[in-house]
Every structure is written in structure tokens, then in C-alpha cells.
Amino acid sequence: MKGGLTMNKHEAITQGLRLIEKSNFCMLGTNGEDGFPNIKGMTNLKHEGIKKIWFSTNTSSKRVQQLRKDNRACVYYVDEKPFRGLMLVGTIKILQDIESKRMLWTEGAEKYYPLGVEDPDYSVLYFTAKRGNYYQALKNITFEIE
Amino acid sequence: MKGGLTMNKHEAITQGLRLIEKSNFCMLGTNGEDGFPNIKGMTNLKHEGIKKIWFSTNTSSKRVQQLRKDNRACVYYVDEKPFRGLMLVGTIKILQDIESKRMLWTEGAEKYYPLGVEDPDYSVLYFTAKRGNYYQALKNITFEIE
């Protein structure tokens, strides 16, 4: 935090939520097998507030392999103009129950999962945030998420 | 890699380089103190090919603190339409020599470093990639970087 600029938690969460809602995609950070961080762009499909976020992915993907070994993750939303970013840190559960898969299914998803909603190569990633950081115009705040 | 689609390393590097060149900013992934991955958006200032990348940052920032403890990092460039991404994995050196700081100085950088190019709160992050992954249109290739 520079120059005495401050922002409270409520404001950060309100602005962060707006950023989530206007984002078509976001970045998922995971721990690679060799100790290096990894990042992948993900389609922004569904969220509840800033605590719960769901993604769709291929069960066979490298990301799922990594998350089976280490479920610690972060999700990052960013806007170029004005430059602002929301980082959420938390853990991920890999879901393969049909209700979760139906909930997240979108038109055209056969492109990724040719066998449809029951495709075993289709999984849902369920992220739960425990901490957030919001950055905008040199203001920067880290906050716990209950 | 799905459906037998392939891409060779040369093609991935050529396309990845184009993506770097058109990007105004990119994402930096680091290892947080508590074992969780972290992501931050960074201005895309300077690179040499896909192996060497330089960033400007505040010496007092959380990112610099993290990199002093663990210099393993990744850099991610992404384009929404068509959806494509380049992830580079490697290590970071924190530079504070005046030549590096001058090389990366841009007009208006006083906004972040009020004391100018010699501001002790101004550091250069020098990233060297050892491995890359390029993704586009369901094609995905991981490659070593010499």
C-alpha cells in the first residue's frame, strides 16, 4: 500500500464482485508438480459472491492431475482499463456428480466434452476462497473471506 | 491434447511470441509464503524472444518478498478471441543495478516510483524461462526452452 491510500474491505468486495461479473474469463493458479506455480485461463461460468466459484474442465487435463495432488489454488480477475485486479486464494474440489455437471453445462460444451454432460472427461472444479486481495489505482487491500 | 490435434514447437514459439508482442500486460505467478499460488497482473515492458522477460515493480511489494524466499515463477499471456494462452515457467532475479533500472524506465513511472529511476523502492524483475506451454483452438504443446 503506497502513499497512505486506503480502501476498506466492504468496498474491495463490492468492486471485486463487479469485476467478477463483467469478466468473461479469469486465471486459475495451481502448484505444479515440480514446485513451480502454473497459470491457465478459464471461462468464467458461475460464482456465488466472491467465496464460491465453479469451473468446467477436462478430467484428463494437467490441471486436474495437479489439483488431485495439491488442491491449493488461486483465481485472478483482471481489467486493463482502469487497471484493477482481484486475487482469491483458496482450495478446489474436483466434482464429477451429475448434478454439478448439469449445473455448469453450457450450449456448445460438446466441443470440449464430445460425449455430452455425462462425458467422463468432463469435470467441475469447485473453488472456495479463504482470502482475497483487491488492487485498483495504487490502492491495495488483503482481506479474509468468511 | 485432445482429438489428435497437434502443433510443433516451432509453431508454438512463433505464435507465442506474437501473443507476447501484442499484449499490454500479462500475469505473474509466484509461490505464496503459505504454499498457495499467487497471481498478479504486470505491465508487459520488455522481452527478448520467449526466454527473457523484464518487469518493473515496487521493492516493498509482497511479490518481491515472496521471490526473495522462492524465485520459482511463471508468466502467462492470454488472448480472449481467439482464446489462446502462453505459459512460461522459470526463475526470477531481482535486479537493483542502475543500468537495469534505466533500461526499463518509462515515461510516467514516477507514479509508482516518486523518487525517479534511482528510487530504492523501484526494482527490476528479470525472468528466465525454462519451459513453455502454448494453447490455441484445443491444440496444446509443452516444450523446453534452451
mmCIF file of all heavy atoms in Angstrom, chain A residues 93-120:
data_model
loop_
_atom_site.group_PDB
_atom_site.id
_atom_site.type_symbol
_atom_site.label_atom_id
_atom_site.label_comp_id
_atom_site.label_asym_id
_atom_site.label_seq_id
_atom_site.Cartn_x
_atom_site.Cartn_y
_atom_site.Cartn_z
ATOM 1 N N LYS A 93 -12.206 -28.425 -4.997
ATOM 2 C CA LYS A 93 -12.696 -29.802 -5.009
ATOM 3 C C LYS A 93 -13.021 -30.167 -6.452
ATOM 4 O O LYS A 93 -13.628 -29.377 -7.173
ATOM 5 C CB LYS A 93 -13.988 -29.919 -4.178
ATOM 6 C CG LYS A 93 -13.752 -30.080 -2.701
ATOM 7 C CD LYS A 93 -15.048 -30.366 -1.974
ATOM 8 C CE LYS A 93 -14.817 -30.245 -0.472
ATOM 9 N NZ LYS A 93 -16.058 -30.076 0.266
ATOM 10 N N ILE A 94 -12.646 -31.386 -6.845
ATOM 11 C CA ILE A 94 -12.979 -31.870 -8.188
ATOM 12 C C ILE A 94 -14.294 -32.636 -8.081
ATOM 13 O O ILE A 94 -14.379 -33.621 -7.342
ATOM 14 C CB ILE A 94 -11.858 -32.788 -8.724
ATOM 15 C CG1 ILE A 94 -10.523 -32.034 -8.731
ATOM 16 C CG2 ILE A 94 -12.193 -33.305 -10.121
ATOM 17 C CD1 ILE A 94 -9.302 -32.939 -8.774
ATOM 18 N N LEU A 95 -15.323 -32.169 -8.787
ATOM 19 C CA LEU A 95 -16.645 -32.782 -8.704
ATOM 20 C C LEU A 95 -16.975 -33.518 -10.005
ATOM 21 O O LEU A 95 -16.716 -33.002 -11.093
ATOM 22 C CB LEU A 95 -17.713 -31.715 -8.447
ATOM 23 C CG LEU A 95 -17.510 -30.797 -7.236
ATOM 24 C CD1 LEU A 95 -18.634 -29.758 -7.176
ATOM 25 C CD2 LEU A 95 -17.455 -31.598 -5.943
ATOM 26 N N GLN A 96 -17.550 -34.721 -9.854
ATOM 27 C CA GLN A 96 -17.968 -35.443 -11.054
ATOM 28 C C GLN A 96 -19.406 -35.944 -10.945
ATOM 29 O O GLN A 96 -19.848 -36.733 -11.762
ATOM 30 C CB GLN A 96 -16.986 -36.596 -11.339
ATOM 31 C CG GLN A 96 -15.759 -36.062 -12.088
ATOM 32 C CD GLN A 96 -14.559 -36.950 -11.994
ATOM 33 O OE1 GLN A 96 -14.384 -37.690 -11.021
ATOM 34 N NE2 GLN A 96 -13.707 -36.888 -12.999
ATOM 35 N N ASP A 97 -20.121 -35.456 -9.916
ATOM 36 C CA ASP A 97 -21.527 -35.852 -9.789
ATOM 37 C C ASP A 97 -22.338 -35.173 -10.889
ATOM 38 O O ASP A 97 -22.024 -34.069 -11.331
ATOM 39 C CB ASP A 97 -22.057 -35.459 -8.402
ATOM 40 C CG ASP A 97 -22.079 -33.967 -8.215
ATOM 41 O OD1 ASP A 97 -20.994 -33.385 -7.986
ATOM 42 O OD2 ASP A 97 -23.150 -33.361 -8.342
ATOM 43 N N ILE A 98 -23.375 -35.858 -11.316
ATOM 44 C CA ILE A 98 -24.143 -35.406 -12.489
ATOM 45 C C ILE A 98 -24.857 -34.064 -12.241
ATOM 46 O O ILE A 98 -24.976 -33.249 -13.165
ATOM 47 C CB ILE A 98 -25.123 -36.523 -12.967
ATOM 48 C CG1 ILE A 98 -25.706 -36.177 -14.344
ATOM 49 C CG2 ILE A 98 -26.205 -36.809 -11.937
ATOM 50 C CD1 ILE A 98 -24.707 -36.270 -15.474
ATOM 51 N N GLU A 99 -25.257 -33.813 -10.989
ATOM 52 C CA GLU A 99 -25.944 -32.547 -10.698
ATOM 53 C C GLU A 99 -24.997 -31.354 -10.943
ATOM 54 O O GLU A 99 -25.383 -30.370 -11.569
ATOM 55 C CB GLU A 99 -26.432 -32.502 -9.234
ATOM 56 C CG GLU A 99 -27.595 -33.438 -8.912
ATOM 57 C CD GLU A 99 -27.164 -34.898 -8.827
ATOM 58 O OE1 GLU A 99 -25.950 -35.172 -8.620
ATOM 59 O OE2 GLU A 99 -28.029 -35.784 -8.992
ATOM 60 N N SER A 100 -23.784 -31.459 -10.440
ATOM 61 C CA SER A 100 -22.815 -30.376 -10.649
ATOM 62 C C SER A 100 -22.503 -30.211 -12.135
ATOM 63 O O SER A 100 -22.399 -29.095 -12.652
ATOM 64 C CB SER A 100 -21.513 -30.671 -9.899
ATOM 65 O OG SER A 100 -21.768 -30.822 -8.526
ATOM 66 N N LYS A 101 -22.364 -31.344 -12.831
ATOM 67 C CA LYS A 101 -22.024 -31.291 -14.251
ATOM 68 C C LYS A 101 -23.172 -30.671 -15.059
ATOM 69 O O LYS A 101 -22.933 -29.885 -15.978
ATOM 70 C CB LYS A 101 -21.663 -32.695 -14.761
ATOM 71 C CG LYS A 101 -20.314 -33.179 -14.194
ATOM 72 C CD LYS A 101 -20.031 -34.644 -14.454
ATOM 73 C CE LYS A 101 -19.618 -34.901 -15.881
ATOM 74 N NZ LYS A 101 -19.004 -36.250 -16.051
ATOM 75 N N ARG A 102 -24.404 -31.013 -14.693
ATOM 76 C CA ARG A 102 -25.571 -30.402 -15.377
ATOM 77 C C ARG A 102 -25.636 -28.904 -15.088
ATOM 78 O O ARG A 102 -25.922 -28.113 -15.966
ATOM 79 C CB ARG A 102 -26.882 -31.061 -14.892
ATOM 80 C CG ARG A 102 -27.178 -32.338 -15.606
ATOM 81 C CD ARG A 102 -28.687 -32.663 -15.630
ATOM 82 N NE ARG A 102 -28.839 -34.024 -16.152
ATOM 83 C CZ ARG A 102 -29.140 -35.084 -15.411
ATOM 84 N NH1 ARG A 102 -29.383 -34.962 -14.119
ATOM 85 N NH2 ARG A 102 -29.225 -36.278 -15.972
ATOM 86 N N MET A 103 -25.402 -28.545 -13.820
ATOM 87 C CA MET A 103 -25.486 -27.144 -13.404
ATOM 88 C C MET A 103 -24.558 -26.260 -14.240
ATOM 89 O O MET A 103 -24.893 -25.127 -14.583
ATOM 90 C CB MET A 103 -25.106 -27.034 -11.924
ATOM 91 C CG MET A 103 -25.149 -25.639 -11.353
ATOM 92 S SD MET A 103 -24.482 -25.600 -9.650
ATOM 93 C CE MET A 103 -22.708 -25.733 -9.967
ATOM 94 N N LEU A 104 -23.402 -26.800 -14.579
ATOM 95 C CA LEU A 104 -22.393 -25.981 -15.260
ATOM 96 C C LEU A 104 -22.387 -26.153 -16.782
ATOM 97 O O LEU A 104 -21.641 -25.467 -17.483
ATOM 98 C CB LEU A 104 -21.003 -26.322 -14.703
ATOM 99 C CG LEU A 104 -20.129 -25.103 -14.435
ATOM 100 C CD1 LEU A 104 -20.801 -24.210 -13.401
ATOM 101 C CD2 LEU A 104 -18.755 -25.509 -13.968
ATOM 102 N N TRP A 105 -23.208 -27.068 -17.291
ATOM 103 C CA TRP A 105 -23.211 -27.347 -18.735
ATOM 104 C C TRP A 105 -23.691 -26.124 -19.518
ATOM 105 O O TRP A 105 -24.643 -25.461 -19.132
ATOM 106 C CB TRP A 105 -24.123 -28.544 -19.036
ATOM 107 C CG TRP A 105 -24.016 -28.975 -20.472
ATOM 108 C CD1 TRP A 105 -24.881 -28.667 -21.482
ATOM 109 C CD2 TRP A 105 -22.977 -29.772 -21.051
ATOM 110 N NE1 TRP A 105 -24.439 -29.217 -22.658
ATOM 111 C CE2 TRP A 105 -23.272 -29.900 -22.422
ATOM 112 C CE3 TRP A 105 -21.815 -30.381 -20.552
ATOM 113 C CZ2 TRP A 105 -22.467 -30.620 -23.305
ATOM 114 C CZ3 TRP A 105 -21.012 -31.095 -21.429
ATOM 115 C CH2 TRP A 105 -21.333 -31.211 -22.775
ATOM 116 N N THR A 106 -23.005 -25.822 -20.595
ATOM 117 C CA THR A 106 -23.432 -24.702 -21.448
ATOM 118 C C THR A 106 -23.561 -25.174 -22.891
ATOM 119 O O THR A 106 -22.926 -26.162 -23.281
ATOM 120 C CB THR A 106 -22.399 -23.549 -21.423
ATOM 121 O OG1 THR A 106 -21.115 -24.093 -21.725
ATOM 122 C CG2 THR A 106 -22.373 -22.851 -20.072
ATOM 123 N N GLU A 107 -24.356 -24.471 -23.648
ATOM 124 C CA GLU A 107 -24.534 -24.790 -25.068
ATOM 125 C C GLU A 107 -23.178 -24.759 -25.760
ATOM 126 O O GLU A 107 -22.397 -23.820 -25.541
ATOM 127 C CB GLU A 107 -25.462 -23.734 -25.690
ATOM 128 C CG GLU A 107 -26.299 -24.273 -26.837
ATOM 129 C CD GLU A 107 -27.114 -23.163 -27.475
ATOM 130 O OE1 GLU A 107 -27.959 -22.578 -26.768
ATOM 131 O OE2 GLU A 107 -26.860 -22.884 -28.665
ATOM 132 N N GLY A 108 -22.909 -25.758 -26.544
ATOM 133 C CA GLY A 108 -21.641 -25.783 -27.278
ATOM 134 C C GLY A 108 -20.516 -26.448 -26.518
ATOM 135 O O GLY A 108 -19.412 -26.599 -27.048
ATOM 136 N N ALA A 109 -20.782 -26.883 -25.285
ATOM 137 C CA ALA A 109 -19.726 -27.511 -24.478
ATOM 138 C C ALA A 109 -19.296 -28.865 -25.051
ATOM 139 O O ALA A 109 -18.252 -29.402 -24.677
ATOM 140 C CB ALA A 109 -20.186 -27.660 -23.025
ATOM 141 N N GLU A 110 -20.103 -29.399 -26.004
ATOM 142 C CA GLU A 110 -19.717 -30.658 -26.684
ATOM 143 C C GLU A 110 -18.378 -30.509 -27.405
ATOM 144 O O GLU A 110 -17.707 -31.496 -27.685
ATOM 145 C CB GLU A 110 -20.765 -31.086 -27.720
ATOM 146 C CG GLU A 110 -22.093 -31.522 -27.152
ATOM 147 C CD GLU A 110 -23.051 -30.355 -26.940
ATOM 148 O OE1 GLU A 110 -22.639 -29.187 -27.170
ATOM 149 O OE2 GLU A 110 -24.195 -30.620 -26.527
ATOM 150 N N LYS A 111 -18.030 -29.274 -27.710
ATOM 151 C CA LYS A 111 -16.729 -29.015 -28.351
ATOM 152 C C LYS A 111 -15.598 -29.559 -27.471
ATOM 153 O O LYS A 111 -14.594 -30.071 -27.968
ATOM 154 C CB LYS A 111 -16.594 -27.494 -28.506
ATOM 155 C CG LYS A 111 -15.400 -27.023 -29.267
ATOM 156 C CD LYS A 111 -15.416 -25.487 -29.347
ATOM 157 C CE LYS A 111 -14.049 -24.933 -29.695
ATOM 158 N NZ LYS A 111 -13.998 -23.461 -29.544
ATOM 159 N N TYR A 112 -15.766 -29.436 -26.146
ATOM 160 C CA TYR A 112 -14.739 -29.888 -25.201
ATOM 161 C C TYR A 112 -15.023 -31.286 -24.664
ATOM 162 O O TYR A 112 -14.111 -32.017 -24.297
ATOM 163 C CB TYR A 112 -14.643 -28.905 -24.023
ATOM 164 C CG TYR A 112 -14.412 -27.491 -24.466
ATOM 165 C CD1 TYR A 112 -15.456 -26.563 -24.483
ATOM 166 C CD2 TYR A 112 -13.154 -27.096 -24.911
ATOM 167 C CE1 TYR A 112 -15.237 -25.262 -24.920
ATOM 168 C CE2 TYR A 112 -12.930 -25.801 -25.344
ATOM 169 C CZ TYR A 112 -13.981 -24.888 -25.348
ATOM 170 O OH TYR A 112 -13.772 -23.611 -25.784
ATOM 171 N N TYR A 113 -16.320 -31.617 -24.570
ATOM 172 C CA TYR A 113 -16.731 -32.900 -23.985
ATOM 173 C C TYR A 113 -17.690 -33.580 -24.964
ATOM 174 O O TYR A 113 -18.921 -33.486 -24.838
ATOM 175 C CB TYR A 113 -17.417 -32.662 -22.632
ATOM 176 C CG TYR A 113 -16.714 -31.606 -21.799
ATOM 177 C CD1 TYR A 113 -17.299 -30.361 -21.552
ATOM 178 C CD2 TYR A 113 -15.432 -31.842 -21.293
ATOM 179 C CE1 TYR A 113 -16.643 -29.382 -20.828
ATOM 180 C CE2 TYR A 113 -14.768 -30.864 -20.569
ATOM 181 C CZ TYR A 113 -15.384 -29.641 -20.337
ATOM 182 O OH TYR A 113 -14.727 -28.664 -19.632
ATOM 183 N N PRO A 114 -17.106 -34.288 -25.974
ATOM 184 C CA PRO A 114 -17.922 -34.810 -27.088
ATOM 185 C C PRO A 114 -19.047 -35.750 -26.642
ATOM 186 O O PRO A 114 -20.057 -35.855 -27.335
ATOM 187 C CB PRO A 114 -16.903 -35.558 -27.951
ATOM 188 C CG PRO A 114 -15.572 -34.996 -27.582
ATOM 189 C CD PRO A 114 -15.677 -34.577 -26.144
ATOM 190 N N LEU A 115 -18.901 -36.410 -25.488
ATOM 191 C CA LEU A 115 -19.940 -37.353 -25.051
ATOM 192 C C LEU A 115 -21.055 -36.653 -24.275
ATOM 193 O O LEU A 115 -21.933 -37.316 -23.725
ATOM 194 C CB LEU A 115 -19.322 -38.476 -24.209
ATOM 195 C CG LEU A 115 -18.216 -39.306 -24.900
ATOM 196 C CD1 LEU A 115 -17.709 -40.394 -23.976
ATOM 197 C CD2 LEU A 115 -18.710 -39.910 -26.224
ATOM 198 N N GLY A 116 -21.026 -35.355 -24.218
ATOM 199 C CA GLY A 116 -22.104 -34.615 -23.552
ATOM 200 C C GLY A 116 -21.909 -34.532 -22.049
ATOM 201 O O GLY A 116 -20.820 -34.795 -21.522
ATOM 202 N N VAL A 117 -22.979 -34.184 -21.349
ATOM 203 C CA VAL A 117 -22.903 -33.887 -19.923
ATOM 204 C C VAL A 117 -22.400 -35.081 -19.093
ATOM 205 O O VAL A 117 -21.820 -34.914 -18.011
ATOM 206 C CB VAL A 117 -24.271 -33.346 -19.411
ATOM 207 C CG1 VAL A 117 -25.303 -34.449 -19.325
ATOM 208 C CG2 VAL A 117 -24.122 -32.612 -18.081
ATOM 209 N N GLU A 118 -22.594 -36.297 -19.624
ATOM 210 C CA GLU A 118 -22.120 -37.488 -18.878
ATOM 211 C C GLU A 118 -20.709 -37.915 -19.288
ATOM 212 O O GLU A 118 -20.218 -38.943 -18.820
ATOM 213 C CB GLU A 118 -23.124 -38.631 -19.044
ATOM 214 C CG GLU A 118 -24.502 -38.249 -18.507
ATOM 215 C CD GLU A 118 -25.390 -39.448 -18.223
ATOM 216 O OE1 GLU A 118 -24.855 -40.515 -17.846
ATOM 217 O OE2 GLU A 118 -26.611 -39.306 -18.392
ATOM 218 N N ASP A 119 -20.078 -37.158 -20.152
ATOM 219 C CA ASP A 119 -18.718 -37.478 -20.601
ATOM 220 C C ASP A 119 -17.806 -37.627 -19.383
ATOM 221 O O ASP A 119 -17.680 -36.691 -18.585
ATOM 222 C CB ASP A 119 -18.207 -36.344 -21.513
ATOM 223 C CG ASP A 119 -16.940 -36.728 -22.285
ATOM 224 O OD1 ASP A 119 -16.130 -37.513 -21.751
ATOM 225 O OD2 ASP A 119 -16.774 -36.236 -23.408
ATOM 226 N N PRO A 120 -17.157 -38.795 -19.209
ATOM 227 C CA PRO A 120 -16.259 -38.954 -18.046
ATOM 228 C C PRO A 120 -15.067 -37.992 -18.100
ATOM 229 O O PRO A 120 -14.426 -37.738 -17.078
ATOM 230 C CB PRO A 120 -15.797 -40.416 -18.131
ATOM 231 C CG PRO A 120 -16.136 -40.874 -19.505
ATOM 232 C CD PRO A 120 -17.260 -40.026 -20.011
#
